[in-house]
Amino acid sequence: DAKTTQPNSMESNEEEPVHLPCNHSTISGTDYIHWYRQLPSQGPEYVIHGLTSNVNNRMASLAIAEDRKSSTLILHRATLRDAAVYYCILRVPGNQFYFGTGTSLTVIP
Amino acid sequence: DTGVSQNPRHKITKRGQNVTFRCDPISEHNRLYWYRQTLGQGPEFLTYFQNEAQLEKSRLLSDRFSAERPKGSFSTLEIQRTEQGDSAMYLCASSLSGGRTEAFFGQGTRLTVV
């Protein structure tokens, strides 16, 4: 199973940026880095993904290290609705998604 | 299309009974995945299909578990002779094939074995 390492929990103040780190030192050249989040009692929700270059979408930005062994999900202005568990996942060549335990983000009003 | 649909949303069953869950993926998606999630843990991969072919099964998928995807459309996950340890959220997801495509998850089926 492709492994990622994330902090168990993080806190952020509302309307401030949040940087969620992920280490994936065993990543291979063809693995895409995916981020999902899961709100309580819901299924995981896609956030963003990338291969080598930094990526932006309406929800977040993804910064990928040059050696691809780590990445950072950036929420530019945290809102209370962003409180969730965030999962960093490597999509392996067989296309399965292997989840870790994720980072539980608390947003403080 | 309203996304991935799972039924039922909740199921309570007695130990030893059989249960079956259904997943309706997004219509054009050829990949379908099943996951299990227990409290405080991330989703654990169980199995996935490409069209009607079951391509991989996790070692977590004991002989009591079976999944099908007839005609490459909806999928069912059956658990025979349920045990209390089977209590979990069962999640279904679908996607197009390829590492750069995202998966869409359903709301899950919460199974409680009493």
Side-chain angles (χ1 to χ4, degrees):
Chain A
D1 298 358
K3 297 291 187 184
T4 61
T5 304
Q6 300 176 253
N8 288 333
S9 62
M10 292 185 65
E11 287 186 351
S12 174
N13 293 320
E14 195 176 9
E15 298 188 4
E16 289 188 357
V18 183
H19 291 234
L20 299 167
C22 179
N23 288 316
H24 28 78
S25 58
T26 60
I27 192 170
S28 71
T30 56
D31 291 346
Y32 278 79
I33 302 160
H34 285 244
W35 284 81
Y36 286 74
R37 71 180 185 182
Q38 188 173 24
L39 280 66
S41 301
Q42 294 191 23
E45 173 190 29
Y46 168 78
V47 177
I48 199 167
H49 74 275
L51 183 62
T52 56
S53 303
N54 295 343
V55 184
N56 300 297
N57 67 18
R58 64 175 180 80
M59 290 181 69
S61 295
L62 176 60
I64 302 172
E66 194 169 337
D67 64 5
R68 302 213 323 130
K69 294 186 176 182
S70 65
S71 61
T72 302
L73 178 70
I74 303 165
L75 306 179
H76 295 287
R77 290 179 72 242
T79 71
L80 296 178
R81 289 176 295 179
D82 292 323
V85 178
Y86 286 79
Y87 296 100
C88 168
I89 300 161
L90 300 183
R91 193 163 191 195
V92 299
N95 290 308
Q96 306 89 322
F97 294 82
Y98 289 104
F99 289 77
T101 53
T103 297
S104 179
L105 176 65
T106 300
V107 180
I108 303 168
Chain B
D1 197 329
T2 57
V4 178
S5 176
Q6 291 189 248
N7 288 288
R9 292 293 310 278
H10 303 275
K11 178 72 175 179
I12 300 174
T13 190
K14 291 183 178 180
R15 190 170 44 189
Q17 298 292 306
N18 299 343
V19 294
T20 299
F21 310 139
R22 177 178 170 125
C23 172
D24 287 275
I26 293 173
S27 57
E28 63 266 28
H29 285 179
N30 56 354
R31 295 267 174 141
L32 187 147
Y33 310 80
W34 284 99
Y35 288 82
R36 180 176 69 188
Q37 186 173 28
T38 54
L39 198 62
Q41 301 297 314
E44 297 172 299
F45 170 76
L46 293 179
T47 188
Y48 87 97
F49 293 83
Q50 176 155 320
N51 301 313
E52 66 275 13
Q54 189 173 17
L55 295 187
E56 184 170 340
K57 293 190 290 186
S58 164
R59 59 185 179 275
L60 295 174
L61 212 65
S62 76
D63 292 345
R64 298 184 296 106
F65 288 70
S66 62
E68 294 183 343
R69 192 184 182 196
K71 301 180 182 178
S73 55
F74 71 92
S75 177
T76 58
L77 178 68
E78 181 183 16
I79 309 174
Q80 296 181 326
R81 305 180 304 281
T82 53
E83 302 172 356
Q84 285 190 322
D86 297 330
S87 296
M89 175 75 82
Y90 289 83
L91 293 161
C92 175
S94 71
S95 77
L96 297 170
S97 55
R100 61 180 178 178
T101 61
E102 63 265 37
F104 294 84
F105 284 80
Q107 298 280 53
T109 294
R110 168 77 63 189
L111 173 67
T112 302
V113 182
V114 298

